């Protein structure tokens, strides 16, 4: 590091003169180079992430319908509106139910697939590809298959045809919130789309577990199977599991695509993002309330993330055991 | 059995290629058959949706909506392939083109901007680098989708609605991608760059001539992930592409689904066409992709 600084000091001037020259590239000080490297990204981050958030904060204190330069200051009214808005609060409940189902099921499914694939002796790459392939499919396309072919609620739908074999009547999967069959559709589509991706993370982690641990356990008399899984594999996967759960939660918060495409014409089962979409960009174009809702959501996400970190120890690094 | 112990070195790199069996189960033919049966059944479930797309795309509508479920078309309708392009209600070809332009520029731009920043944060000694890193980390706490209302407000006041600029530029600055690049560069062997600098290259020179050429695997993996997420993204293009001429393929598909008349085989053919390029990219680049994901540092 010290040599770099000396070089920088000794020849700062020709740096800009001949940037193409192989011997004298941009050799200015580390500080200058640091900003050349990170500057464009930081500028973009400030303009397209920080400025909108601050603007949103400002808008959230104003009456702002159909305009982004409002003049009527309303204090915390928008926040009160959103927190007493049944639809918005209902969307938080929808999210909670959604996360409570999708996070554990994806965790279990991706871990299960990883354990299976990892134990295969041949055709490993083939099966891994099959489970991973849905990652390439968009939520829109997958929703389309689910809504129009598998769970379309009429006789020719695949699920109903299959259930018909057992004499079960047609089920209108998406047409009514009672009984809430739409959850099955929503959850299964996301499970199909994302399980393979997290499976890869688990496979990588499984292969990082030192083989000696299993050997030592088997010398100590542990039976392969449930015992070694419970006492060795699972504890060794702790860091990965924590990361996966965190990623799943964040992804669940952002759920929009499949809800929008599967339930677009219904009034139930709207996650927060969809509710905000209708609030801010729908008929009323209420940017003030939309902004307040976005900020409430942001605070919630930060809280959940921090709490999760506290309980599960995300970011504490690998535990040596 | 004892020979199966894998050496701990370069584990991550080999994840994709061929991992030796973790645990050789002694002679349990039944267990092994059961394992293959279970895996095969799960694989079948995972493949059914793909099959359904192809099946529906190559059937006639009466056959799809018939009383009886058919696994195979009686007469494969190859003529269906051109239908999405002939359909006057949605300019499908245009939406594919928009997606291609957006996907490619999004990928190139993101890799350029994020890899430079990741390198700067990982390797250039600057005393406030940590503070700058916190500015980046801060955005990870706020999922990008939550900022869509304020971002929309900003982009619309810039007059970027219905433009490629609006579709592409706001998405280039991904804190997460930058973070992944930083993690990667932290693990890049320092000796190579130092040798390059001793030979007289500046930071930029060393970066382009030494670091990037030696990181092509990681770049390829990140490019694949970025392209897939760009091609598949929906909310932002939905908000920005208000005029049909600015629709991406995902918005076009969504529009078919909620449209007045539903032509099943047309919709499924369009879906198949929208997925096909990605499936190819995916199968072709899978090895890099898996390595890249395994290397991203979220493996624990």
């Amino acid at each position: 590091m010290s040599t770099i600084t000396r070089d920088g000091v000794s020849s700062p001037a020709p740096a800009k003169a001949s940037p193409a020259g192989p011997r004298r590239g941009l050799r200015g000080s580390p500080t200058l180079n640091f900003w050349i490297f990170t500057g464009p990204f930081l500028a973009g981050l400030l303009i397209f992430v920080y400025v909108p958030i601050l603007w949103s904060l400002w808008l959230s204190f104003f009456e702002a319908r159909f305009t982004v330069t409002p003049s009527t200051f309303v204090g915390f009214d928008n926040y009160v509106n959103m927190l007493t808005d049944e639809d918005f609060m209902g969307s938080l409940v929808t999210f909670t139910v959604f996360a409570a189902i999708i996070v554990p099921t994806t965790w279990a499914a991706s871990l299960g697939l990883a354990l299976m694939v990892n134990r295969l002796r041949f055709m490993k790459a083939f099966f891994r590809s099959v489970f991973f392939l849905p990652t390439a499919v968009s939520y829109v396309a997958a929703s389309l298959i689910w809504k129009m072919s598998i769970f379309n609620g009429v006789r020719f739908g695949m699920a109903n045809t299959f259930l018909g074999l057992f004499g079960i009547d047609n089920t209108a999967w998406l047409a009514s919130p009672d009984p809430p069959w739409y959850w099955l559709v929503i959850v299964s589509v996301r499970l199909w789309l994302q399980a393979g991706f997290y499976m890869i993370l688990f496979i990588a982690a499984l292969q990082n577990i030192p083989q000696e641990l299993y050997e030592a356990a088997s010398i100590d008399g542990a039976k392969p199977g449930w015992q070694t899984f419970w006492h060795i594999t699972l504890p060794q996967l702790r860091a990965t599991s924590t990361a996966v759960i965190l990623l799943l939660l964040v992804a669940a918060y952002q759920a929009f695509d499949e809800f929008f495409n599967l339930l677009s014409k219904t009034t139930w089962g709207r996650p927060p993002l969809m509710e905000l979409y209708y609030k801010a960009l729908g008929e009323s174009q209420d940017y003030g309330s939309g902004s307040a809702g976005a900020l409430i959501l942001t605070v919630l996400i930060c809280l959940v993330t921090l709490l999760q970190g506290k309980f599960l120890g995300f970011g504490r690094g690998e535990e040596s055991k | 059995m004892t020979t199966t112990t894998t050496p701990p070195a370069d584990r991550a790199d080999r994840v994709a290629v061929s991992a030796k069996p973790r645990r050789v189960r002694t002679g349990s033919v039944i267990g092994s058959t059961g394992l293959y049966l279970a895996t095969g059944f799960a694989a079948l479930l995972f493949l059914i949706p793909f099959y359904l797309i192809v099946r529906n795309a190559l059937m006639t509508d009466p056959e799809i909506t018939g009383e009886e479920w058919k696994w195979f078309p009686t007469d494969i309708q190859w003529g269906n392939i051109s239908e999405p392009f002939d359909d006057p209600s949605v300019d499908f070809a245009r939406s594919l083109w928009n997606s291609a332009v957006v996907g490619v520029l999004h990928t190139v731009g993101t890799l350029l901007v994020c890899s430079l920043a990741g390198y700067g944060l990982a390797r250039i000694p600057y005393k406030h680098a940590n503070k700058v890193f916190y500015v980046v980390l801060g955005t990870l706490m706020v999922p990008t989708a939550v900022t869509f209302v304020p971002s929309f407000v900003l982009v619309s006041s810039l007059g970027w609605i219905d433009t490629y600029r609006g579709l592409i530029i706001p998405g280039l600055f991904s804190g997460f991608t930058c973070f992944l690049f930083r993690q990667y560069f932290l693990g890049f062997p320092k000796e190579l760059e130092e040798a390059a600098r001793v030979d007289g290259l500046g930071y930029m020179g060393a970066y382009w001539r030494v670091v990037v050429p030696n990181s092509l695997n990681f770049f390829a993996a990140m490019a694949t992930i970025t392209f897939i997420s760009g091609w598949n993204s929906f909310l932002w293009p939905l908000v920005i592409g208000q005029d049909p001429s600015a629709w991406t393929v995902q918005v076009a598909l969504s529009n078919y689904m909620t449209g007045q008349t539903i032509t099943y085989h047309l919709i499924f053919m369009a879906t198949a066409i929208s997925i096909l390029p990605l499936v190819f990219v995916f199968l072709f680049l899978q090895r890099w992709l898996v390595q890249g994901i395994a290397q991203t540092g979220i493996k624990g």
Side-chain angles (χ1 to χ4, degrees), chain A residues 42-300:
Chain A
L42 287 172
L45 210 58
L46 293 179
I47 295 171
F48 292 105
V49 180
Y50 281 97
V51 165
I53 292 174
L54 289 178
W55 193 342
S56 182
L57 183 68
W58 185 74
L59 276 179
S60 71
F61 293 111
F62 287 85
E63 161 89 38
R65 283 170 199 268
F66 305 102
T67 173
V68 293
T69 47
S71 50
T72 325
F73 183 80
V74 294
F76 283 95
D77 280 7
N78 287 326
Y79 288 89
V80 175
N81 275 348
M82 287 308 272
L83 288 171
T84 52
D85 182 340
E86 266 177 42
D87 291 338
F88 184 68
M89 295 314 280
S91 77
L92 293 179
V93 174
T94 301
F95 163 73
T96 311
V97 174
F98 180 57
I101 307 174
I102 194 71
V103 173
T105 47
T106 313
W107 177 83
S110 52
L111 177 58
L113 291 176
L115 288 170
M116 287 202 307
V117 169
N118 203 43
R119 270 178 55 190
L120 297 177
R121 259 179 278 177
F122 47 91
M123 286 174 69
K124 204 185 190 109
F126 168 77
F127 281 113
R128 200 192 53 219
S129 304
V130 169
F131 297 131
F132 192 34
L133 197 58
T135 307
V137 179
S138 73
Y139 277 90
V140 181
S143 307
L144 205 141
I145 308 165
W146 257 244
K147 185 181 183 176
M148 300 202 145
S149 207
I150 302 180
F151 292 107
N152 64 1
V154 281
R155 276 286 291 282
F156 63 84
M158 189 179 151
N160 281 338
T161 305
F162 180 73
L163 292 176
L165 295 178
F166 301 96
I168 299 170
D169 282 342
N170 276 355
T171 306
W173 302 97
L174 291 164
S176 131
D178 186 38
W181 287 119
Y182 67 93
W183 279 117
L184 183 72
V185 185
I186 295 268
V187 167
S188 60
V189 76
R190 183 170 276 245
L191 197 60
W192 182 71
L193 282 168
Q194 66 180 11
F197 180 83
Y198 295 101
M199 174 197 73
I200 300 291
L201 297 186
F202 276 122
I203 289 179
L206 281 172
Q207 296 183 346
N208 276 336
I209 301 178
Q211 184 65 24
E212 296 77 44
L213 283 177
Y214 291 102
E215 282 162 12
S218 100
I219 290 168
D220 289 345
K223 295 189 193 76
W226 184 248
Q227 269 191 348
T228 44
F229 173 73
W230 190 251
H231 292 291
I232 297 172
T233 313
L234 209 53
Q236 287 286 318
L237 292 179
R238 192 189 149 103
T240 305
S241 285
T242 313
V244 165
I245 291 171
L246 184 84
L247 291 171
L248 284 172
L249 259 180
V250 172
Y253 258 116
Q254 306 195 46
F256 177 83
D257 300 9
E258 76 269 46
F259 284 90
F260 184 84
N261 285 296
L262 290 168
L263 301 172
S264 58
K265 284 172 184 156
T266 62
T267 48
W268 65 84
R270 284 184 182 174
L273 204 54
M274 196 162 146
E275 195 56 44
L276 289 180
Y277 173 84
Y278 283 119
K279 180 82 55 190
L281 305 175
E283 306 266 292
S284 63
Q285 305 241 341
D286 190 346
Y287 296 123
S289 297
S291 298
L295 288 164
I296 293 170
L297 203 54
T298 309
V299 170
L300 269 177

